[in-house]
Amino acid sequence: MTRPAGGDADPNPVPARRSSRVKRFIAAAAGATLAAASLMLTTIVPAHAATTVHTYAPTGVGGGTTTSPDVASAKYQVQVAGTPVQAVQYTQNGHNFDIARFASDSRTPTITVTLPSTTIDTVNVYPARYYPAGSVSVSADKHTLTFQLSAAAGLNQAIVMVNGDSTNATGQPYLAVVNDPLEDPAQRPDTTSAPDGSGVNLQTGVLNFQEFAAKYLAAHPNSAAQKAPAATTSSMAGKTVNGTAIPAGQKSSAGSLVSASSANVRYPSVRTMAADDVTYALRAAIDTIKANPTALNTLYFPNGTYVWSGLLVNGLDGSKLKGGKLKIYTAEGALLKNRVQAYMEAFEPAIGIINSSDIEIDGRGVFDGNGVANYRSDSHDAYRSQHQGGVMVMHSSDITFNDTYVRDAKQWNYETHTASRVTFNNIKALTPYRQPWIDGTDFASGQDITANGVFTLGNDDAFASGHYNPSDGFTPLASGVWNNFQLGTSTADVQGYVNAVAAHDTVVDDLGFDNYHWDHADSKNIAVSNTLNWSVAAGNAIRIGWNAYGYRLTNYTFDNFNSVSPLAGGIFTHNSPKPYPRIQSIVVKNSSIDTSRFTQGPVGINGGNGSTQTITADDQATYGLAPNPDGSGSTYTYTRTPIGTFTLDNVWFSRQNTSSSITGVTNVTLKNLRVGGQLVRYTSQFPLTTSGVGALTSTYTDANGQTQNVKAGAPANGDTWVGAWTGDQTKNNSSDLTLITRNTGVGLMGEQYTTGSGDGKLSYLQFPLSSLTRAPSRATLHLTYVGHRYASVPSTDTDQLLVQPVSDTTCTGGGTSCPVTTMTWQNRPSFTATASSVAKSANFTLGSTLIPEGGGTHQGNAIDGRDITVDITSFVQNAYTAGQSTLLLAVGNAGGTNHELRFVSSEGAIGSGKLTNGTAEMAPGMTVTP
């Protein structure tokens, strides 16, 4: 049944309309009750029967160790395809995460998580781009959740946040799921023990470190081998530093061995090594491999616990070994844990590959940097200690990491310095704590660096590069160092300063290069793909160019890079404070950045402006800045050229933030960006300011696969229709798939109708103005025409739209609040339309597309598709001048007997419940001309 027009309107709405609205009401109520972005109550999805799941051996158990230090999660019980997988607690500094790690032959296994003591009110799985609403199911008792790892994500990991989301920085704890591929058997060495029990099997080429270390320590106990440092003449003797003369012949203090439990131990004091510390044994093992290059090529760590100063390989050329490569393999139950370092200035990363080449590190063992304990035992300010991370590749080439797992790093999780041809495959670095300098991957410098498959939990940048010479704060001439010892004052501590210099020089002697030359080459061809990164505190998703020392940074590519919860920013480049880095190319594609905690735009690209950069001879000779290209070492200049290329292609941002900025770039390409799940079709969706940009291309691919330019303007950020008929007067229709207009004839737009049986309808649309930087010279409203209601109305009839700006603080109900989301006929913006106050469209014919009355029965109907436009320039100009952040418009039609017209709403154009024939291009929009 349809209702006649005007006073003969049927007081009872048709069942189809009621059903549709009731369904929407129930859905909205359920959504409000659950308040979850990706939650639905249902039965548990059965596990995939064919999935093979491998659970890992207990960490650290073996070789005489019977108990793992890992503590099982008290919150989560995890099953993968029906197989129980233990989650363990990470609690060294707070308790932000539990980790469930396993291996399987499926990239999309079903994950079931039971929380016996927690009621599940909300669930969010990250990266959110790949886990939309409905991707997680929750049991009826709200204690078990089930989801399937996303095939579209192309990742081996996911982060599960129950009763919280990425705006909650510290977890409760949250759950990280790590789904390694099954290990390639070819990576595993021959584990046959040597016949003589030495651990050195010359037949298989494998050195079993567990057996070797036991024999070595028995013959060379640490108590006899460890010696305190001797006094040495300082490298600064006879020099003047900040006005304080360092006497000629000045020596560092003689060292001493102190208790391992001592705090703030400074060189030359050294902590006494534990009896089972295998640091010296490792050096002996590597020397044994070097001494037998035609027979040995593998260093093997069986299950068990190893405590040491880290896996340090310095000065090894693997190409000289049998097979042309050193292979280091850690069994899945091996725990390779750093001790509390010898003294605060010592250099003891979890893994350090230095001055070496042709090395491959395989296996599923766990490297533990013991970083929290180190920070608590010693001060680690930049001016009083060496920078050191979890995994450090320095002055090395042709290095490969497969499946390497590091936790509790001291500083950056993974980093490279003057490294070339380094490959990271399926690496993990889980340090989810608030401690300084915990970047995810920080490829400070390098050439041809590839990371494919990265999962990091940290405290700072997800990815960073161009941070040259990060330990330059602890060089003898660094101001922080000599200030720490009051040089230049009457209370100068010369001996303390000389001892600090000796600590620095000791590391320099070990590394073979000083702190100003950790990084001394241009960086190029750095590619990072298939990553998931989470940050607890500060940090950016991608940060390039800080302190690059005047070197070039060329060709950075990020593909499927996913950053969750960074606080500082999204994609950010520096051109200071050290000389401008001359960045050449940055491409980010198929990626997602969670912007939920940002206070600024997600993109801040800063390129050169053509000015001159000077690098002095002293900069080069003393402080390690990029040398003069002619080799003379004399002062030189170069131009601060713009960044050559910056491209964002299919990049997803979780929500809109304040304006991004791009400065000093020759070519900028923005393609198929998404903000808040919506394709960017208007400039307001991705606010951006530019300066010094040579060419900017901003496009999207429409529903027909055609490339379209992003339009200057904005889509509606709220729309609804309200009805005067008795059954409509108290209803809000902001979730309807269409907007409706029908003029009662009471008032120019029918806006004055109050009582009776009229069936008038008005629509309201709201547009954001915050992206405007000035009042536009032209502004146009766009509505997509769907069709009209009555078959009795000739298709040749014409009508036109009438539009007037209104306020949602002056309402027909007498109140001061009637926003789009709650607006009804009885409580809507109150206004009077006149011939001079409205803007009008051109006349258009109603056409032959008929849409039946009702809220939902039109979903599958045809759409006329014409773009009906109205010039609203003066409305936008006035609103901008008045400082309004939004513009609210009332829309009606001029009228005609039984002219009830429909237009596509925002909900009808976009989303899973949209009009069947609707497309994103049909959503209400406003275009502007600057």
Side-chain angles (χ1 to χ4, degrees), residues 109-166:
T110 298
I111 311 296
T112 303
V113 183
T114 299
L115 296 84
S117 302
T118 301
T119 298
I120 303 171
D121 295 317
T122 67
V123 180
N124 290 279
V125 180
Y126 295 89
R129 176 176 189 169
Y130 303 109
Y131 295 95
S135 62
V136 181
S137 63
V138 174
S139 61
D141 67 0
K142 302 181 76 173
H143 285 285
T144 298
L145 65 93
T146 303
F147 70 101
Q148 189 175 33
L149 287 181
S150 167
L155 301 172
N156 295 333
Q157 306 85 20
I159 293 172
V160 180
M161 297 187 177
V162 174
N163 301 340
D165 59 30
S166 58

Short mmCIF file of all heavy atoms in Angstrom, two decimals, residues 109-166:
data_model
loop_
_atom_site.label_atom_id
_atom_site.label_comp_id
_atom_site.label_asym_id
_atom_site.label_seq_id
_atom_site.Cartn_x
_atom_site.Cartn_y
_atom_site.Cartn_z
N PRO A 109 45.01 -19.32 9.74
CA PRO A 109 44.39 -20.26 10.68
C PRO A 109 43.33 -19.57 11.54
O PRO A 109 43.35 -18.35 11.72
CB PRO A 109 45.57 -20.73 11.53
CG PRO A 109 46.52 -19.57 11.51
CD PRO A 109 46.40 -19.00 10.13
N THR A 110 42.44 -20.38 12.07
CA THR A 110 41.43 -19.87 12.99
C THR A 110 42.01 -19.78 14.40
O THR A 110 42.57 -20.75 14.91
CB THR A 110 40.19 -20.79 13.00
OG1 THR A 110 39.62 -20.79 11.68
CG2 THR A 110 39.15 -20.31 14.00
N ILE A 111 41.90 -18.61 15.00
CA ILE A 111 42.43 -18.36 16.34
C ILE A 111 41.26 -18.27 17.31
O ILE A 111 40.32 -17.49 17.09
CB ILE A 111 43.23 -17.03 16.38
CG1 ILE A 111 44.23 -16.96 15.22
CG2 ILE A 111 43.91 -16.87 17.73
CD1 ILE A 111 45.31 -17.99 15.24
N THR A 112 41.32 -19.05 18.37
CA THR A 112 40.30 -19.01 19.41
C THR A 112 40.96 -18.62 20.72
O THR A 112 41.94 -19.25 21.13
CB THR A 112 39.61 -20.38 19.56
OG1 THR A 112 39.05 -20.77 18.31
CG2 THR A 112 38.51 -20.32 20.61
N VAL A 113 40.46 -17.59 21.36
CA VAL A 113 41.05 -17.07 22.59
C VAL A 113 39.98 -17.05 23.67
O VAL A 113 38.92 -16.42 23.49
CB VAL A 113 41.62 -15.66 22.39
CG1 VAL A 113 42.30 -15.17 23.67
CG2 VAL A 113 42.59 -15.63 21.22
N THR A 114 40.25 -17.74 24.78
CA THR A 114 39.34 -17.74 25.92
C THR A 114 39.94 -16.93 27.05
O THR A 114 41.13 -17.07 27.37
CB THR A 114 39.06 -19.18 26.38
OG1 THR A 114 38.45 -19.90 25.31
CG2 THR A 114 38.13 -19.20 27.60
N LEU A 115 39.12 -16.06 27.64
CA LEU A 115 39.52 -15.24 28.78
C LEU A 115 38.63 -15.63 29.96
O LEU A 115 37.56 -15.04 30.16
CB LEU A 115 39.38 -13.76 28.46
CG LEU A 115 40.27 -13.20 27.34
CD1 LEU A 115 39.66 -13.43 25.97
CD2 LEU A 115 40.53 -11.70 27.55
N PRO A 116 39.01 -16.61 30.74
CA PRO A 116 38.13 -17.13 31.79
C PRO A 116 37.68 -16.09 32.80
O PRO A 116 36.57 -16.16 33.31
CB PRO A 116 38.97 -18.23 32.45
CG PRO A 116 39.99 -18.59 31.43
CD PRO A 116 40.29 -17.34 30.69
N SER A 117 38.55 -15.12 33.08
CA SER A 117 38.25 -14.15 34.14
C SER A 117 37.88 -12.77 33.61
O SER A 117 37.76 -11.82 34.38
CB SER A 117 39.46 -14.02 35.08
OG SER A 117 39.80 -15.27 35.64
N THR A 118 37.72 -12.65 32.29
CA THR A 118 37.43 -11.36 31.69
C THR A 118 36.18 -11.44 30.83
O THR A 118 36.07 -12.33 29.99
CB THR A 118 38.61 -10.88 30.82
OG1 THR A 118 39.78 -10.78 31.62
CG2 THR A 118 38.31 -9.53 30.19
N THR A 119 35.25 -10.53 31.07
CA THR A 119 34.08 -10.42 30.21
C THR A 119 34.45 -9.57 29.00
O THR A 119 34.94 -8.46 29.13
CB THR A 119 32.90 -9.77 30.95
OG1 THR A 119 32.54 -10.62 32.05
CG2 THR A 119 31.70 -9.61 30.03
N ILE A 120 34.21 -10.10 27.82
CA ILE A 120 34.58 -9.41 26.59
C ILE A 120 33.47 -8.44 26.22
O ILE A 120 32.38 -8.84 25.80
CB ILE A 120 34.81 -10.42 25.45
CG1 ILE A 120 35.90 -11.42 25.84
CG2 ILE A 120 35.18 -9.69 24.16
CD1 ILE A 120 36.03 -12.57 24.86
N ASP A 121 33.74 -7.18 26.35
CA ASP A 121 32.78 -6.15 25.93
C ASP A 121 33.12 -5.61 24.54
O ASP A 121 32.23 -5.30 23.76
CB ASP A 121 32.75 -5.00 26.95
CG ASP A 121 32.22 -5.45 28.30
OD1 ASP A 121 31.22 -6.20 28.33
OD2 ASP A 121 32.81 -5.07 29.32
N THR A 122 34.40 -5.45 24.27
CA THR A 122 34.83 -5.01 22.94
C THR A 122 36.04 -5.82 22.51
O THR A 122 36.81 -6.30 23.35
CB THR A 122 35.20 -3.51 22.92
OG1 THR A 122 36.38 -3.31 23.70
CG2 THR A 122 34.07 -2.65 23.45
N VAL A 123 36.21 -5.94 21.21
CA VAL A 123 37.39 -6.56 20.64
C VAL A 123 37.84 -5.73 19.45
O VAL A 123 37.03 -5.38 18.60
CB VAL A 123 37.13 -8.01 20.18
CG1 VAL A 123 38.41 -8.60 19.60
CG2 VAL A 123 36.61 -8.87 21.30
N ASN A 124 39.13 -5.44 19.39
CA ASN A 124 39.72 -4.83 18.22
C ASN A 124 40.94 -5.65 17.83
O ASN A 124 41.78 -5.95 18.68
CB ASN A 124 40.14 -3.38 18.50
CG ASN A 124 38.95 -2.47 18.68
OD1 ASN A 124 38.35 -2.01 17.72
ND2 ASN A 124 38.59 -2.21 19.92
N VAL A 125 41.02 -6.01 16.57
CA VAL A 125 42.17 -6.74 16.06
C VAL A 125 42.91 -5.83 15.08
O VAL A 125 42.28 -5.17 14.24
CB VAL A 125 41.75 -8.05 15.38
CG1 VAL A 125 42.97 -8.81 14.86
CG2 VAL A 125 40.98 -8.94 16.37
N TYR A 126 44.23 -5.81 15.18
CA TYR A 126 45.05 -4.92 14.36
C TYR A 126 46.03 -5.71 13.51
O TYR A 126 46.47 -6.77 13.94
CB TYR A 126 45.81 -3.93 15.26
CG TYR A 126 44.90 -2.99 15.99
CD1 TYR A 126 44.39 -3.32 17.24
CD2 TYR A 126 44.52 -1.78 15.43
CE1 TYR A 126 43.54 -2.46 17.91
CE2 TYR A 126 43.67 -0.92 16.09
CZ TYR A 126 43.18 -1.26 17.33
OH TYR A 126 42.34 -0.40 17.99
N PRO A 127 46.34 -5.18 12.29
CA PRO A 127 45.96 -3.88 11.76
C PRO A 127 44.47 -3.81 11.45
O PRO A 127 43.92 -4.69 10.80
CB PRO A 127 46.77 -3.73 10.47
CG PRO A 127 47.67 -4.92 10.41
CD PRO A 127 47.23 -5.92 11.37
N ALA A 128 43.84 -2.71 11.88
CA ALA A 128 42.40 -2.56 11.77
C ALA A 128 41.92 -2.59 10.33
O ALA A 128 40.77 -2.97 10.07
CB ALA A 128 41.97 -1.26 12.46
N ARG A 129 42.77 -2.20 9.41
CA ARG A 129 42.37 -2.20 8.01
C ARG A 129 41.89 -3.56 7.56
O ARG A 129 41.00 -3.68 6.72
CB ARG A 129 43.56 -1.76 7.14
CG ARG A 129 43.27 -1.81 5.64
CD ARG A 129 44.43 -1.26 4.82
NE ARG A 129 44.05 -1.12 3.41
CZ ARG A 129 44.77 -0.49 2.49
NH1 ARG A 129 45.91 0.07 2.84
NH2 ARG A 129 44.36 -0.41 1.24
N TYR A 130 42.48 -4.62 8.13
CA TYR A 130 42.19 -5.97 7.66
C TYR A 130 41.26 -6.75 8.59
O TYR A 130 40.97 -7.92 8.32
CB TYR A 130 43.52 -6.73 7.49
CG TYR A 130 44.44 -6.03 6.54
CD1 TYR A 130 45.60 -5.39 6.99
CD2 TYR A 130 44.15 -5.97 5.18
CE1 TYR A 130 46.44 -4.73 6.11
CE2 TYR A 130 44.99 -5.31 4.30
CZ TYR A 130 46.13 -4.69 4.77
OH TYR A 130 46.97 -4.03 3.91
N TYR A 131 40.80 -6.11 9.65
CA TYR A 131 39.88 -6.78 10.57
C TYR A 131 38.70 -5.86 10.86
O TYR A 131 38.59 -5.26 11.92
CB TYR A 131 40.61 -7.16 11.86
CG TYR A 131 41.69 -8.19 11.62
CD1 TYR A 131 43.02 -7.80 11.42
CD2 TYR A 131 41.39 -9.54 11.55
CE1 TYR A 131 44.01 -8.73 11.18
CE2 TYR A 131 42.38 -10.49 11.31
CZ TYR A 131 43.68 -10.07 11.13
OH TYR A 131 44.67 -11.01 10.88
N PRO A 132 37.80 -5.70 9.88
CA PRO A 132 36.67 -4.79 10.03
C PRO A 132 35.59 -5.38 10.92
O PRO A 132 35.71 -6.51 11.44
CB PRO A 132 36.17 -4.64 8.59
CG PRO A 132 36.50 -5.96 7.97
CD PRO A 132 37.81 -6.38 8.58
N ALA A 133 34.51 -4.62 11.10
CA ALA A 133 33.37 -5.09 11.90
C ALA A 133 32.89 -6.43 11.36
O ALA A 133 32.76 -6.63 10.16
CB ALA A 133 32.24 -4.06 11.84
N GLY A 134 32.65 -7.35 12.29
CA GLY A 134 32.16 -8.66 11.90
C GLY A 134 33.23 -9.69 11.70
O GLY A 134 32.93 -10.87 11.48
N SER A 135 34.52 -9.31 11.76
CA SER A 135 35.58 -10.28 11.53
C SER A 135 35.90 -11.09 12.78
O SER A 135 36.64 -12.07 12.70
CB SER A 135 36.84 -9.57 11.03
OG SER A 135 37.33 -8.65 12.00
N VAL A 136 35.38 -10.67 13.90
CA VAL A 136 35.60 -11.39 15.16
C VAL A 136 34.25 -11.81 15.72
O VAL A 136 33.31 -11.01 15.74
CB VAL A 136 36.34 -10.50 16.19
CG1 VAL A 136 36.58 -11.27 17.49
CG2 VAL A 136 37.67 -10.02 15.62
N SER A 137 34.16 -13.04 16.17
CA SER A 137 32.94 -13.50 16.83
C SER A 137 33.21 -13.72 18.31
O SER A 137 34.33 -14.02 18.71
CB SER A 137 32.43 -14.79 16.19
OG SER A 137 33.37 -15.83 16.36
N VAL A 138 32.19 -13.56 19.11
CA VAL A 138 32.31 -13.71 20.56
C VAL A 138 31.22 -14.66 21.03
O VAL A 138 30.07 -14.59 20.59
CB VAL A 138 32.19 -12.34 21.27
CG1 VAL A 138 32.16 -12.51 22.78
CG2 VAL A 138 33.35 -11.44 20.87
N SER A 139 31.59 -15.55 21.93
CA SER A 139 30.64 -16.55 22.42
C SER A 139 29.53 -15.89 23.23
O SER A 139 29.67 -14.75 23.71
CB SER A 139 31.37 -17.57 23.29
OG SER A 139 31.97 -16.94 24.41
N ALA A 140 28.45 -16.62 23.41
CA ALA A 140 27.30 -16.07 24.12
C ALA A 140 27.63 -15.68 25.55
O ALA A 140 27.06 -14.73 26.09
CB ALA A 140 26.15 -17.08 24.09
N ASP A 141 28.57 -16.41 26.18
CA ASP A 141 28.92 -16.07 27.56
C ASP A 141 29.95 -14.95 27.63
O ASP A 141 30.36 -14.53 28.71
CB ASP A 141 29.42 -17.29 28.31
CG ASP A 141 30.75 -17.82 27.79
OD1 ASP A 141 31.31 -17.24 26.82
OD2 ASP A 141 31.25 -18.83 28.34
N LYS A 142 30.41 -14.44 26.45
CA LYS A 142 31.33 -13.31 26.35
C LYS A 142 32.68 -13.58 27.03
O LYS A 142 33.28 -12.69 27.61
CB LYS A 142 30.69 -12.03 26.89
CG LYS A 142 29.39 -11.66 26.17
CD LYS A 142 28.78 -10.37 26.70
CE LYS A 142 29.54 -9.18 26.19
NZ LYS A 142 28.88 -7.90 26.54
N HIS A 143 33.14 -14.81 26.90
CA HIS A 143 34.46 -15.16 27.43
C HIS A 143 35.39 -15.76 26.37
O HIS A 143 36.56 -16.01 26.67
CB HIS A 143 34.35 -16.13 28.60
CG HIS A 143 33.88 -15.47 29.86
ND1 HIS A 143 34.68 -14.66 30.63
CD2 HIS A 143 32.67 -15.49 30.46
CE1 HIS A 143 34.00 -14.21 31.67
NE2 HIS A 143 32.76 -14.70 31.59
N THR A 144 34.89 -16.00 25.17
CA THR A 144 35.71 -16.58 24.11
C THR A 144 35.52 -15.79 22.83
O THR A 144 34.38 -15.49 22.44
CB THR A 144 35.35 -18.05 23.87
OG1 THR A 144 35.60 -18.80 25.07
CG2 THR A 144 36.17 -18.64 22.74
N LEU A 145 36.62 -15.47 22.18
CA LEU A 145 36.56 -14.79 20.89
C LEU A 145 37.23 -15.67 19.84
O LEU A 145 38.15 -16.44 20.15
CB LEU A 145 37.21 -13.41 20.95
CG LEU A 145 38.72 -13.35 21.23
CD1 LEU A 145 39.53 -13.31 19.93
CD2 LEU A 145 39.07 -12.13 22.07
N THR A 146 36.78 -15.53 18.62
CA THR A 146 37.30 -16.32 17.51
C THR A 146 37.45 -15.43 16.29
O THR A 146 36.57 -14.63 15.99
CB THR A 146 36.37 -17.50 17.18
OG1 THR A 146 36.19 -18.30 18.35
CG2 THR A 146 36.95 -18.36 16.08
N PHE A 147 38.57 -15.59 15.60
CA PHE A 147 38.76 -14.88 14.33
C PHE A 147 39.74 -15.67 13.49
O PHE A 147 40.43 -16.58 13.97
CB PHE A 147 39.24 -13.45 14.55
CG PHE A 147 40.66 -13.34 15.06
CD1 PHE A 147 41.71 -13.03 14.20
CD2 PHE A 147 40.95 -13.52 16.41
CE1 PHE A 147 43.01 -12.92 14.67
CE2 PHE A 147 42.24 -13.41 16.89
CZ PHE A 147 43.28 -13.11 16.02
N GLN A 148 39.81 -15.32 12.25
CA GLN A 148 40.74 -15.96 11.33
C GLN A 148 41.77 -14.94 10.90
O GLN A 148 41.43 -13.80 10.56
CB GLN A 148 39.97 -16.50 10.12
CG GLN A 148 40.80 -17.36 9.18
CD GLN A 148 39.95 -17.95 8.07
OE1 GLN A 148 39.00 -17.32 7.61
NE2 GLN A 148 40.28 -19.15 7.64
N LEU A 149 43.04 -15.33 10.94
CA LEU A 149 44.06 -14.41 10.46
C LEU A 149 43.76 -14.04 9.01
O LEU A 149 43.39 -14.88 8.19
CB LEU A 149 45.45 -15.03 10.58
CG LEU A 149 46.02 -15.14 11.99
CD1 LEU A 149 47.42 -15.75 11.96
CD2 LEU A 149 46.07 -13.79 12.69
N SER A 150 43.93 -12.76 8.72
CA SER A 150 43.48 -12.21 7.44
C SER A 150 44.42 -12.58 6.29
O SER A 150 45.63 -12.35 6.37
CB SER A 150 43.40 -10.69 7.55
OG SER A 150 43.27 -10.09 6.28
N ALA A 151 43.82 -13.12 5.22
CA ALA A 151 44.60 -13.38 4.01
C ALA A 151 45.00 -12.07 3.34
O ALA A 151 46.10 -11.94 2.82
CB ALA A 151 43.79 -14.25 3.05
N ALA A 152 44.10 -11.09 3.38
CA ALA A 152 44.38 -9.81 2.74
C ALA A 152 45.54 -9.08 3.40
O ALA A 152 46.28 -8.34 2.75
CB ALA A 152 43.13 -8.93 2.76
N ALA A 153 45.72 -9.29 4.71
CA ALA A 153 46.78 -8.60 5.43
C ALA A 153 48.16 -9.06 4.97
O ALA A 153 49.13 -8.28 4.98
CB ALA A 153 46.63 -8.81 6.93
N GLY A 154 48.31 -10.32 4.60
CA GLY A 154 49.60 -10.81 4.17
C GLY A 154 50.64 -10.79 5.27
O GLY A 154 51.83 -10.63 5.01
N LEU A 155 50.20 -10.96 6.52
CA LEU A 155 51.09 -10.88 7.67
C LEU A 155 51.08 -12.19 8.46
O LEU A 155 50.10 -12.94 8.41
CB LEU A 155 50.66 -9.74 8.60
CG LEU A 155 50.63 -8.34 8.00
CD1 LEU A 155 50.00 -7.36 8.98
CD2 LEU A 155 52.05 -7.88 7.64
N ASN A 156 52.13 -12.40 9.23
CA ASN A 156 52.20 -13.57 10.10
C ASN A 156 51.78 -13.24 11.53
O ASN A 156 51.92 -14.10 12.41
CB ASN A 156 53.63 -14.12 10.13
CG ASN A 156 54.07 -14.66 8.79
OD1 ASN A 156 53.23 -15.09 8.00
ND2 ASN A 156 55.36 -14.63 8.51
N GLN A 157 51.29 -12.03 11.75
CA GLN A 157 50.98 -11.61 13.11
C GLN A 157 49.68 -10.82 13.15
O GLN A 157 49.22 -10.28 12.14
CB GLN A 157 52.10 -10.72 13.69
CG GLN A 157 53.49 -11.32 13.66
CD GLN A 157 54.19 -11.10 12.35
OE1 GLN A 157 53.84 -10.22 11.57
NE2 GLN A 157 55.21 -11.91 12.08
N ALA A 158 49.12 -10.74 14.35
CA ALA A 158 47.99 -9.85 14.61
C ALA A 158 48.04 -9.47 16.08
O ALA A 158 48.60 -10.19 16.91
CB ALA A 158 46.66 -10.53 14.28
N ILE A 159 47.46 -8.31 16.39
CA ILE A 159 47.39 -7.83 17.77
C ILE A 159 45.92 -7.80 18.18
O ILE A 159 45.09 -7.22 17.48
CB ILE A 159 48.02 -6.44 17.89
CG1 ILE A 159 49.53 -6.51 17.64
CG2 ILE A 159 47.75 -5.83 19.27
CD1 ILE A 159 50.21 -5.17 17.56
N VAL A 160 45.61 -8.43 19.29
CA VAL A 160 44.24 -8.53 19.79
C VAL A 160 44.11 -7.66 21.03
O VAL A 160 44.85 -7.83 22.00
CB VAL A 160 43.87 -9.98 20.13
CG1 VAL A 160 42.43 -10.07 20.63
CG2 VAL A 160 44.06 -10.88 18.91
N MET A 161 43.17 -6.71 20.99
CA MET A 161 42.94 -5.83 22.13
C MET A 161 41.51 -6.03 22.61
O MET A 161 40.56 -5.67 21.91
CB MET A 161 43.18 -4.37 21.74
CG MET A 161 44.60 -4.07 21.35
SD MET A 161 44.90 -2.30 21.10
CE MET A 161 46.67 -2.30 20.75
N VAL A 162 41.39 -6.62 23.79
CA VAL A 162 40.08 -6.85 24.40
C VAL A 162 39.80 -5.73 25.39
O VAL A 162 40.64 -5.40 26.23
CB VAL A 162 40.06 -8.22 25.11
CG1 VAL A 162 38.75 -8.41 25.88
CG2 VAL A 162 40.24 -9.34 24.10
N ASN A 163 38.60 -5.15 25.26
CA ASN A 163 38.18 -4.06 26.16
C ASN A 163 39.18 -2.90 26.12
O ASN A 163 39.50 -2.29 27.14
CB ASN A 163 37.99 -4.56 27.59
CG ASN A 163 36.94 -5.65 27.68
OD1 ASN A 163 36.10 -5.79 26.79
ND2 ASN A 163 37.00 -6.44 28.73
N GLY A 164 39.65 -2.60 24.94
CA GLY A 164 40.57 -1.48 24.74
C GLY A 164 40.86 -1.36 23.26
O GLY A 164 40.43 -2.19 22.46
N ASP A 165 41.57 -0.31 22.90
CA ASP A 165 41.94 -0.13 21.51
C ASP A 165 43.28 0.57 21.44
O ASP A 165 43.95 0.73 22.46
CB ASP A 165 40.87 0.66 20.75
CG ASP A 165 40.59 2.03 21.34
OD1 ASP A 165 41.53 2.64 21.91
OD2 ASP A 165 39.45 2.51 21.23
N SER A 166 43.69 0.98 20.25
CA SER A 166 45.03 1.51 20.07
C SER A 166 45.24 2.87 20.72
O SER A 166 46.37 3.35 20.77
CB SER A 166 45.35 1.61 18.58
OG SER A 166 44.41 2.44 17.92
#
